[in-house]
Amino acid sequence: MSHIALPARLEETAAAVERLLDRLLSPEPLPGEIARPARVVEAMRYAMLGGGKRLRPHLVVEAARLFGREDEGVLRAGAAIECVHGYSLIHDDLPAMDDDELRRGKPTVHRAFDEATAILAGDGLLTLAFDMLADAPTDPDPALRLALVLALSRASGLGGMVGGQMLDLEAEGRFTPDGKPLPADEEGTLRLQAMKTGAILAAAVEMGAIAGRAADRDRQALAAYGRALGKAFQIADDLLDHEGDAALVGKATGKDAARGKATLVTLLGIEPARARLRALVAEAQAALAPFGGRAEVLRATASFVAERQN
Ligand code: GRG
């Protein structure tokens, strides 16, 4: 398969995830639910439909495909991780956190609705993610479903994304009296980023491996890919914040420097950060060696993550 296949694969998964989310975010209650209030359903649909690259579901789907698994269950696992991602963006945009006005090129959820609705929409998405993983259509084997729940919980909770967000908030606004950002160390910055954004990207790959019942050796190879990909994604994001076009990125840029936030770009400089990004893409691609030509789409995904403009 050639690199040309990647956009088609991304589009195909994005469209399938869109259809699935459209169904799951219906106003009709599921068995066991009492009712779904229209306003919060509307806010969740506003946040989740019609935008986003759907990179995390793509990683779940492509990792599972390596082991011959391609079905609705895998898509549900992908949509679940997308819901956690969506919740994190809604909450991150709140005035108490990043206080952003734009996301995916449109007003953030608290701007389009109100803060309380945005908090509840995020909470609803987080809960829905685990509902989807725990429910039988994801996989007939309860042990496999449980393994998916555990992988996503570990990546998105206290020792992953939530913890990383806490570290990020703590690191903000550390300026000297004359307005310069206080020095931050590379190790601490890398750990914060691995938690805040890397963990969930790595979990997407891991969930694909779980869904595909990958053997230990293959799971380890994919885990190495996921870790390198997560780091590469973050450097690319930092470069976009530094020099990206806000209209293309779909949100405000230049915020890291304004807030004194340490990134590899502010710590190392643009060119060394770019070199690090190239090395990480090569590392991610090398980790896929055991899969040979079957991993062409995942290899191309690593390049895509580094080169993306939004
Ligand atoms: C609120 C618990 C909590 C966590 C927030 C993920 C996160 C933690 C904050 C998002 C802030 C941010 C912009 C981080 C940079 C990396 C990132 C997640 C970018 C957006 O992801 P993409 O590029 O977005 O995959 P799309 O819109 O394509 O889904």
Side-chain angles (χ1 to χ4, degrees):
M1 177 175 307
S2 80
H3 277 46
I4 297 166
L6 178 64
R9 285 285 179 86
L10 270 167
E11 255 173 56
E12 193 186 307
T13 299
V17 165
E18 184 86 8
R19 286 192 296 272
L20 182 57
L21 287 173
D22 184 32
R23 237 174 46 222
L24 291 162
L25 295 171
S26 121
E28 284 307 306
L30 293 173
E33 290 181 340
I34 298 165
R36 293 186 157 193
R39 186 166 175 80
V40 75
V41 171
E42 229 180 278
M44 289 163 80
R45 293 179 65 84
Y46 175 86
M48 294 306 296
L49 301 178
K53 295 179 289 298
R54 313 295 196 195
L55 179 60
R56 293 149 193 82
H58 165 80
L59 289 170
V60 178
V61 166
E62 294 305 329
R65 208 195 291 268
L66 283 179
F67 308 100
R69 183 160 180 194
E70 298 177 41
D71 57 47
E72 176 92 359
V74 174
L75 210 57
R76 287 174 64 90
I81 201 164
E82 188 69 6
C83 285
V84 170
H85 173 56
Y87 123 77
S88 78
L89 298 180
I90 298 174
H91 283 194
D92 184 68
D93 289 336
L94 286 168
M97 300 220 191
D98 255 13
D99 195 10
D100 273 306
E101 288 173 30
L102 273 185
R103 169 71 64 189
R104 294 174 171 170
K106 61 184 191 183
T108 46
V109 178
H110 66 275
R111 291 268 172 160
F113 293 80
D114 58 78
E115 262 183 74
T117 305
I119 292 170
L120 290 174
D123 293 343
L125 287 169
L126 177 61
T127 320
L128 179 65
F130 293 101
D131 182 321
M132 283 165 69
L133 292 181
D135 210 357
T138 297
D139 194 275
D141 179 1
L144 192 144
R145 303 202 300 271
L146 201 56
L148 291 174
V149 167
L150 189 59
L152 187 55
S153 309
R154 291 280 158 92
S156 52
L158 192 53
M161 187 179 69
V162 169
Q165 179 77 348
M166 186 74 253
L167 295 177
D168 199 36
L169 291 172
E170 283 175 357
E172 252 179 37
R174 293 199 301 204
F175 291 97
T176 58
D178 59 346
K180 296 203 179 77
L182 280 174
D185 65 299
E186 191 178 321
E187 197 189 319
T189 303
L190 285 175
R191 193 176 57 167
L192 182 164
Q193 295 186 338
M195 291 169 73
K196 185 181 147 184
T197 45
I200 204 148
L201 286 160
V205 180
E206 191 190 347
M207 287 166 73
I210 292 172
R213 297 184 183 279
D216 270 0
R217 213 189 50 147
D218 288 343
R219 272 177 80 154
Q220 279 162 24
L222 280 172
Y225 168 81
R227 279 193 301 273
L229 187 84
K231 290 182 199 167
F233 177 93
Q234 187 60 60
I235 298 182
D237 205 68
D238 296 339
L239 283 164
L240 278 176
D241 185 75
H242 205 76
E243 51 190 16
D245 177 343
L248 275 179
V249 179
K251 61 176 184 176
T253 51
K255 292 193 74 171
D256 293 342
R259 290 171 174 227
K261 225 181 232 186
T263 68
L264 283 203
V265 177
T266 62
L267 289 171
L268 307 177
I270 291 186
E271 276 318 315
R274 281 217 185 95
R276 180 81 65 99
L277 177 57
R278 284 194 294 274
L280 283 164
V281 171
E283 187 183 322
Q285 291 174 334
L288 298 172
F291 306 106
R294 283 187 297 141
E296 199 53 43
V297 171
L298 286 178
R299 263 184 218 104
T301 304
S303 305
F304 166 77
V305 156
E307 290 156 15
R308 69 200 170 92
Q309 296 302 310
N310 70 21

